[in-house]
Amino acid sequence: AAGVIQSPRHLIKEKRETATLKCYPIPRHDTVYWYQQGPGQDPQFLISFYEKMQSDKGSIPDRFSAQQFSDYHSELNMSSLELGDSALYFCASGTSGGVNEQYFGPGTRLTVT
Amino acid sequence: GIQVEQSPPDLILQEGANSTLRCNFSDSVNNLQWFHQNPWGQLINLFYIPSGTKQNGRLSATTVATERYSLLYISSSQTTDSGVYFCAVEPRTDYKLSFGAGTTVTVRA
């Protein structure tokens, strides 16, 4: 079965640079979620989209922005990167009606040096 | 927001042993999921279990929604079961998962 695809899997950036993470949800899933997991921490919700519209927002820094495109893939853009942005970034997808299960991608490991 | 508490925080097992992990949550939920995070960081879906009991091989889970807790059972543990087990819930008033702090399981050969 198709799974959530994230790219790149690993990314190394320097402070103050910009990074773009991509997420391709499972086909026919209409909702995308982004989570950030710092070292030794549990995943924290950043932002979600339903049918290409932002549906909820968590503790996402103003330096970060995200969108969902017409083909339902989503991108998380991070600017002015800081050392503290080093983390695993997960994308999850799901459907809006009935079963609320979220399916997680393999994650992107971002290292800021 | 909803509070999610997992216990124990750490668990060391001998290969072949059985164990129970617990997740308590503070409010009614639409969704409860158990995940296993492997040493490479991947979050593996174990169960979607907002209520009832499910089994998958050596793993099983039970959620008692009215009492706001869930249990994950690992039987005949293997070294590949090592990692962090997360419980995550989606409150009825929300559409995002809140994770517990996890239980770190170490299975020794």
Side-chain angles (χ1 to χ4, degrees), chain A residues 9 33 35 37 40-45 48 56-58 88 90 98-106 109, chain B residues 30-31 33 35 37 39-45 47-48 54 86 90 94-102:
Chain A
R9 295 291 306 279
Y33 310 83
Y35 293 84
Q37 185 181 22
Q41 306 292 315
D42 55 279
Q44 297 289 318
F45 171 76
S48 61
D56 204 350
K57 204 171 181 180
L88 261 173
F90 290 102
V99 173
N100 300 322
E101 185 171 4
Q102 293 186 25
Y103 298 80
F104 279 68
R109 188 177 295 277
Chain B
N30 282 330
N31 175 8
Q33 293 182 240
F35 297 90
Q37 188 161 43
W40 296 271
Q42 291 184 319
L43 274 176
I44 311 299
N45 275 21
F47 295 102
Y48 166 79
K54 290 186 177 179
F86 286 105
E90 177 186 288
D94 219 338
Y95 298 98
K96 55 183 179 277
L97 288 175
S98 293
F99 284 73

Side-chain angles (χ1 to χ4, degrees), chain B residues 71-98:
Chain B
L71 302 174
L72 177 70
Y73 306 96
I74 306 174
S75 65
S76 304
S77 57
Q78 301 177 357
T79 56
T80 51
D81 294 331
S82 296
V84 182
Y85 289 79
F86 286 105
C87 167
V89 302
E90 177 186 288
R92 289 229 176 121
T93 55
D94 219 338
Y95 298 98
K96 55 183 179 277
L97 288 175
S98 293

Side-chain angles (χ1 to χ4, degrees), chain A residues 65-88:
Chain A
S65 64
Q67 56 182 324
Q68 187 177 30
F69 294 86
S70 57
D71 65 351
Y72 290 92
H73 94 272
S74 178
E75 295 185 3
L76 177 65
N77 297 294
M78 300 177 285
S79 63
S80 303
L81 287 169
E82 302 174 356
L83 295 178
D85 296 328
S86 295
L88 261 173

